[in-house]
Amino acid sequence: MVNFELFDDLFDFDPDYAYSEQIINKIIRCRRAMEDELFFDRLLKTLGIEQAVKLYPPRSNQDLRSLHQQIIDSPSPDHHRQSVLYYILKDIPDKDAHPALTFANAVFLSERYRIFMDGIWLLDRAKFAKALDYLTDPVLIPTFPEEILYTLCTHRDQHDDNLPLAYYFTVSPAITSPKILEIFFSTLARTNVTETFFFARRQGETNHRKLFEILIGSVLDGLEGEDRARRSVELIHLPFSKEEETWFEAYLTDGRGRKLPGAADTLAMRKMVTGRTLGTDGQGNGLGRKKNGGSGWSSLASSYERV
């Protein structure tokens, strides 16, 4: 059995091994893209190892030995330290020796830890779709779930929200960060107006109104043309409470939403579908016009007729 606390045992395939410039530069680029914090950096912090940026990636064999020693000196359990070393060995591009797999088998690293580290390693390399296959495995106990959700939301492929939504609905992480909640909510709002509406209601009084307004903004200032009209029709048919009705009108008349494309038309349509008479205060005037790519009355009305 390999003695993972001895560097020369762990790297018996090449005790003089050092990261190549190509690998170093790739890790640095990925860290910058991840807002200057890799998930590996977070893992080092859980081991009580600070200044991860200075330690990883190691620039020389001596730096790699120093990183190894700091991991070994951590008071964390063996399986935590072994998991981090497994991650490091995955950096070695040796398709024949498979040093990471060989090490994991030698120390009997559990499947749960292997799967999680595989997912985190892929996430840090911006291979998000592959990472998701590992990070949604049912054997895992969610670790860094909010941070993973945030990463998937902010690094999604253009016009593709499937990855963050798949992660959220599989793992069901509790979102405690207001920043991450708003980013995920905006992601959800782009895909399903009705589901997002009820999601906002479940986020407590503190967040409800703000999220409700984000949903309105997403509908009116998001997609254009027929897609915007379709989503607007879905929005105005939602079962608002009296309080939500007040928020809706306030946001589109006096709030920041008043300048959104089709704001007045949307408010007028809401009054129609709820059986209220349009007033003469200017609400709904100019119906049918399209400002800034907005949905005019005619677009909304034609979509309404198809519902």
Side-chain angles (χ1 to χ4, degrees):
M1 180 176 173
V2 63
N3 184 348
F4 71 92
E5 294 189 347
L6 298 176
F7 183 91
D8 287 352
D9 263 21
L10 183 64
F11 287 85
D12 61 349
F13 54 90
D14 185 2
D16 296 321
Y17 178 78
Y19 280 46
S20 68
E21 278 298 314
Q22 183 180 8
I23 293 176
I24 291 172
N25 291 335
K26 183 176 182 179
I27 293 170
I28 292 173
R29 286 196 305 271
C30 288
R31 178 181 277 128
R32 287 172 181 165
M34 300 281 241
E35 301 182 10
D36 295 322
E37 187 172 31
L38 295 169
F39 281 90
F40 184 72
D41 301 339
R42 295 180 173 93
L43 289 172
L44 289 181
K45 289 178 183 178
T46 65
L47 291 166
I49 300 172
E50 299 296 333
Q51 297 182 323
V53 173
K54 293 183 178 181
L55 294 168
Y56 183 82
R59 269 69 170 181
S60 65
N61 177 262
Q62 186 56 51
D63 287 345
L64 181 58
R65 288 176 178 269
S66 297
L67 175 59
H68 169 265
Q69 191 59 51
Q70 290 214 37
I71 294 169
I72 296 308
D73 290 342
S74 168
S76 300
D78 282 356
H79 55 275
H80 288 174
R81 295 184 296 162
Q82 290 167 352
S83 296
V84 172
L85 293 173
Y86 173 74
Y87 178 109
I88 292 172
L89 289 170
K90 285 181 66 65
D91 287 339
I92 300 172
D94 190 334
K95 296 181 181 179
D96 297 321
H98 300 294
L101 181 60
T102 301
F103 169 70
N105 290 335
V107 298
F108 303 103
L109 189 64
S110 74
E111 180 186 24
R112 175 183 296 173
Y113 286 101
R114 293 191 201 192
I115 291 173
F116 177 67
M117 299 309 295
D118 287 339
I120 290 300
W121 188 87
L122 288 166
L123 206 59
D124 281 344
R125 298 303 175 274
K127 298 179 180 179
F128 302 114
K130 290 184 178 179
L132 195 65
D133 289 339
Y134 292 92
L135 297 173
T136 55
D137 193 292
V139 305
L140 294 184
I141 297 174
T143 305
F144 306 132
E146 284 189 273
E147 293 85 348
I148 292 172
L149 182 63
Y150 175 79
T151 298
L152 293 174
C153 285
T154 54
H155 292 83
R156 67 188 184 91
D157 291 335
Q158 191 175 18
H159 306 307
D160 183 6
D161 295 308
N162 290 329
L163 293 184
L165 295 180
Y167 181 77
Y168 178 82
F169 289 113
T170 302
V171 177
S172 299
I175 305 177
T176 59
S177 163
K179 175 184 176 181
I180 296 175
L181 176 61
E182 288 185 24
I183 288 174
F184 173 70
F185 186 83
S186 296
T187 301
L188 185 61
R190 287 191 294 269
T191 63
N192 190 309
V193 174
T194 301
E195 186 169 0
T196 306
F197 169 73
F198 288 108
F199 178 89
R201 283 184 169 181
R202 297 194 296 269
Q203 305 313 306
E205 293 182 8
T206 304
N207 299 309
H208 186 185
R209 180 170 185 172
K210 187 171 186 178
L211 296 178
F212 181 73
E213 292 178 350
I214 291 174
L215 172 59
I216 300 170
S218 174
V219 171
L220 299 184
D221 201 27
L223 300 174
E224 297 184 359
E226 291 301 315
D227 288 327
R228 179 182 291 165
R230 172 184 53 79
R231 284 164 53 82
S232 296
V233 168
E234 186 176 355
L235 174 67
I236 63 176
H237 280 79
L238 291 172
F240 296 169
S241 65
K242 289 183 179 179
E243 188 174 40
E244 289 165 338
E245 200 77 60
T246 301
W247 296 343
F248 185 77
E249 294 194 14
Y251 182 67
L252 293 179
T253 54
D254 303 317
R256 287 181 295 178
R258 68 187 184 280
K259 295 183 180 180
L260 291 174
D265 291 354
T266 302
L267 183 56
M269 284 292 288
R270 175 65 185 180
K271 290 183 177 182
M272 281 189 63
V273 300
T274 55
R276 288 176 292 160
T277 304
L278 295 180
T280 57
D281 57 356
Q283 295 300 329
N285 286 349
L287 299 179
R289 292 198 307 249
K290 292 188 178 182
K291 297 173 62 178
N292 302 321
S295 296
W297 176 271
S298 57
S299 295
L300 285 170
S302 62
S303 294
Y304 173 68
E305 289 170 359
R306 291 194 294 270
V307 174

